[in-house]
Amino acid sequence: MKQILKPVFEMIMGEYVLFDNVIYNYITLSFVGIIALKVAWDFVGKLFDYGIIMSKSSGSIIHWTIRLITFIVLFYILSRIIWLTKFIYLNKTASIIILSSSVIFIILYYINLYKKYIEIIKKM
């Protein structure tokens, strides 16, 4: 099964691009691939330990499926983080205004909440 699923995984993985620089892209996707491998390896190992799966072929199918799903999820999380970082960098003024407004709103919310809490305690 590995002979079939590994090339499919590598073909799918090769289509994902995070950076324009090929070296940065390969380094980053290698780390994502290593994390996906570790997650799939541990998950399938536990399934074997608990006796849920018995055969090597079913373990291989589950391993490559979990590995692919984990890789795709981690890739999209990382791509959103990179996009957000670029957006904040390109829109520094708007980002500072939004961030400071959010912090002020949160502080005012908790001050108001604290005042209500004190009023409730005084009524007791």
Side-chain angles (χ1 to χ4, degrees), residues 83-100:
W83 177 85
L84 184 63
T85 304
K86 286 180 183 178
F87 180 80
I88 290 171
Y89 182 75
L90 293 174
N91 301 303
K92 292 177 187 171
T93 306
S95 299
I96 290 171
I97 291 170
I98 291 170
L99 181 65
S100 58

Side-chain angles (χ1 to χ4, degrees), residues 9-110:
F9 177 78
E10 289 175 354
M11 182 180 67
I12 292 170
M13 190 175 122
E15 298 296 320
Y16 287 91
V17 177
L18 284 173
F19 302 104
D20 293 334
N21 188 329
V22 176
I23 295 170
Y24 292 158
N25 197 52
Y26 277 124
I27 291 171
T28 306
L29 292 181
S30 296
F31 283 116
V32 172
I34 289 169
I35 294 169
L37 170 68
K38 176 76 171 133
V39 169
W41 186 272
D42 291 346
F43 185 77
V44 172
K46 288 183 182 182
L47 291 178
F48 272 116
D49 291 344
Y50 294 140
I52 296 172
I53 54 176
M54 301 293 183
S55 69
K56 192 174 182 179
S57 62
S58 63
S60 180
I61 291 171
I62 293 171
H63 169 83
W64 287 103
T65 304
I66 297 296
R67 189 171 174 179
L68 181 63
I69 291 169
T70 305
F71 179 84
I72 291 171
V73 168
L74 289 175
F75 173 83
Y76 280 111
I77 290 171
L78 190 58
S79 68
R80 292 298 116 204
I81 291 171
I82 292 170
W83 177 85
L84 184 63
T85 304
K86 286 180 183 178
F87 180 80
I88 290 171
Y89 182 75
L90 293 174
N91 301 303
K92 292 177 187 171
T93 306
S95 299
I96 290 171
I97 291 170
I98 291 170
L99 181 65
S100 58
S101 299
S102 299
V103 168
I104 290 170
F105 176 76
I106 290 170
I107 290 171
L108 291 175
Y109 175 78
Y110 279 107

